[in-house]
């Protein structure tokens, strides 16, 4: 369908079938825009909700990192080093939390708010004016129906005058409501282009600002810290692998003993007696 620029205000009073047909196109467009805006707002609110969740999650993570030193571990090998490292990470997460909080506020102000204002102001205004235009049109139709029922002969001049006044008032009211309605629908065609892009500009600026500040925060010092922590973890991993290998060899040696050591009733008739023992033990396991 060819694009239509606007509804002509000068055609509002005539209210021709052609004008009504064009009006229906604008009304259909407004309805489609309303549905789309609601869906877009839901998607944006989901993004905003996820960002808020990141704020809560990073705050909780920082608290949990600091809580490590308060745990009563029975074995605390190397805990001092772990505690100091986790403290530093908690500080980093706190700084990230500040950035996430700033981003959440920026999304609320520059992405969510504009689309809500567009829906509540522009779309609601069009919907309200549509209802008022419908009411005025119905009143006009009723007054015209009353006028058409006036008798052709021996008319009551007073009745006729009253009906004519009623028709004129209804037509003026319809004309005023149609002008307001047409203006709102015309303005909506321009406003919708701004309304679709403005929130995304806010979203993009918010993300750019977040990543820019994040890059500044993760400076050379942070890179050096992460490198040292990675080296420490690698060193511990090497020790763990060496210790695991030692334990594996030890297990094999311990499991290579004679199977008789597992029997509760080994041969009593020919025991291997060690006469150098100072004390005896284990004789109750022998069955007689």
């Amino acid at each position: 369908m060819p694009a239509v620029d606007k509804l002509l205000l000068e055609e509002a009073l005539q209210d021709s079938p052609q004008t009504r047909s064009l009006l229906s196109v604008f009304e259909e467009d407004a309805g489609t825009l309303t549905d789309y805006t609601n869906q877009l707002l839901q998607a944006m609110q989901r993004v905003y909700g996820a960002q808020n969740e990141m704020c809560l999650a990073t705050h909780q993570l920082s608290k949990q990192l600091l809580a490590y030193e308060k745990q009563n571990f029975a074995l605390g090998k190397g805990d001092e080093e772990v505690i100091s490292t986790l403290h530093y990470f908690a500080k980093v997460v706190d700084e990230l939390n500040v950035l996430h909080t700033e981003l959440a506020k920026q999304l609320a102000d520059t992405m969510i708010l504009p689309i809500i204002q567009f829906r509540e102001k522009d779309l609601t205004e069009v919907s309200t004016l549509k209802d008022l235009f419908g009411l005025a049109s119905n009143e006009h139709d009723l007054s015209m129906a009353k006028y058409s029922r006036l008798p052709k002969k021996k008319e009551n001049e007073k009745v006729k005058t009253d009906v004519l006044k009623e028709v004129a008032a209804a037509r003026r009211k319809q004309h005023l409501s149609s002008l307001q309605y047409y203006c709102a629908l015309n303005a909506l065609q321009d406003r919708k282009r701004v309304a679709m892009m403005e929130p995304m500009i806010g979203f993009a600026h918010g993300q750019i600002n977040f990543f820019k500040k994040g890059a500044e925060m993760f400076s050379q010092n942070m890179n050096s810290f992460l490198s040292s922590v990675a080296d420490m973890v690698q060193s511990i991993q090497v020790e763990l692998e060496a210790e695991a290998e030692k334990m594996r060899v030890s297990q094999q040696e311990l499991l290579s003993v004679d199977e008789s050591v597992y029997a509760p009733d080994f041969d009593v008739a020919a025991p291997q007696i060690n006469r150098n023992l100072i004390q005896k033990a284990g004789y109750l396991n022998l069955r007689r």
Side-chain angles (χ1 to χ4, degrees):
M1 182 177 181
V4 180
D5 290 333
K6 60 183 178 179
L7 291 163
L8 298 178
L9 300 184
E10 54 268 24
E11 295 181 358
L13 179 60
Q14 184 180 358
D15 196 26
S16 65
Q18 292 81 5
T19 302
R20 284 294 183 115
S21 177
L22 182 59
L23 175 62
S24 67
V25 175
F26 276 75
E27 289 178 334
E28 181 182 356
D29 189 82
T32 302
L33 179 60
T34 299
D35 293 339
Y36 175 79
T37 300
N38 288 331
Q39 294 170 7
L40 180 63
L41 177 58
Q42 289 178 2
M44 289 180 174
Q45 286 174 330
R46 187 173 181 180
V47 172
Y48 174 65
Q51 187 57 46
N52 267 334
E53 181 60 30
M54 279 298 296
C55 298
L56 297 173
T58 49
H59 176 68
Q60 181 62 35
L61 176 59
S62 176
K63 286 177 59 178
Q64 201 61 37
L65 291 174
L66 294 175
Y68 181 86
E69 65 175 328
K70 299 177 182 178
Q71 308 305 306
N72 296 319
F73 293 112
L75 304 174
K77 179 183 177 182
D79 268 4
E80 295 79 8
E81 195 172 30
V82 173
I83 288 171
S84 62
T85 302
L86 292 184
H87 270 244
Y88 190 90
F89 275 124
K91 178 183 175 183
V92 172
V93 174
D94 277 336
E95 292 175 358
L96 273 174
N97 177 260
V98 172
L99 297 184
H100 280 297
T101 302
E102 290 178 359
L103 177 57
K105 186 178 185 305
Q106 191 165 359
L107 291 179
D109 294 339
T110 63
M111 182 179 76
I112 299 296
L113 183 60
I115 199 71
I116 288 179
Q117 289 176 333
F118 171 68
R119 185 182 70 171
E120 300 303 322
K121 181 186 176 190
D122 297 85
L123 294 178
T124 299
E125 179 187 23
V126 167
S127 177
T128 301
L129 290 175
K130 179 180 180 180
D131 293 340
L132 294 176
F133 174 69
L135 291 173
S137 296
N138 290 337
E139 290 180 15
H140 176 261
D141 292 342
L142 290 173
S143 64
M144 286 298 297
K146 186 182 296 185
Y147 176 74
S148 65
R149 289 195 296 268
L150 288 173
K152 299 294 182 181
K153 299 177 181 179
K154 297 181 181 181
E155 298 174 295
N156 186 320
E157 291 299 325
K158 184 177 183 308
V159 173
K160 181 179 180 181
T161 301
D162 291 342
V163 172
L164 287 175
K165 288 182 179 180
E166 183 179 339
V167 170
R171 180 165 291 181
R172 178 178 178 77
K173 183 177 180 180
Q174 184 197 33
H175 188 212
L176 175 61
S177 64
S178 64
L179 289 175
Q180 293 173 333
Y181 187 33
Y182 286 13
C183 286
L185 286 172
N186 286 336
L188 186 64
Q189 292 303 306
D190 293 324
R191 275 291 300 139
K192 76 175 181 181
R193 292 185 293 175
V194 175
M196 295 301 104
M197 293 184 287
E198 186 179 14
M200 293 312 301
I201 293 174
F203 171 79
H205 279 312
Q207 297 294 335
I208 290 171
N209 184 57
F210 174 80
F211 287 116
K212 182 179 179 180
K213 289 186 176 181
E216 293 172 356
M217 186 183 74
F218 287 99
S219 60
Q220 186 63 38
N221 291 335
M222 185 62 184
N223 289 333
S224 299
F225 169 74
L226 291 176
S227 179
S228 65
V229 173
D231 290 341
M232 179 183 70
V233 171
Q234 181 64 29
S235 175
I236 295 174
Q237 195 68 30
V238 171
E239 292 179 10
L240 286 174
E241 291 176 359
E243 186 66 23
E245 179 61 22
K246 286 173 61 178
M247 287 189 289
R248 186 185 67 80
V249 173
S250 179
Q251 287 180 49
Q252 289 180 341
E253 292 176 351
L254 292 172
L255 291 173
S256 63
V257 297
D258 190 272
E259 290 292 330
S260 63
V261 299
Y262 299 114
D265 299 328
F266 57 86
D267 190 359
V268 183
Q272 296 181 357
I273 301 174
N274 186 348
R275 300 185 182 279
N276 296 321
L277 293 177
I278 298 175
Q279 60 184 1
K280 297 180 179 179
Y283 63 92
L284 291 179
N285 284 330
L286 299 179
R287 298 179 184 173
R288 300 185 180 277

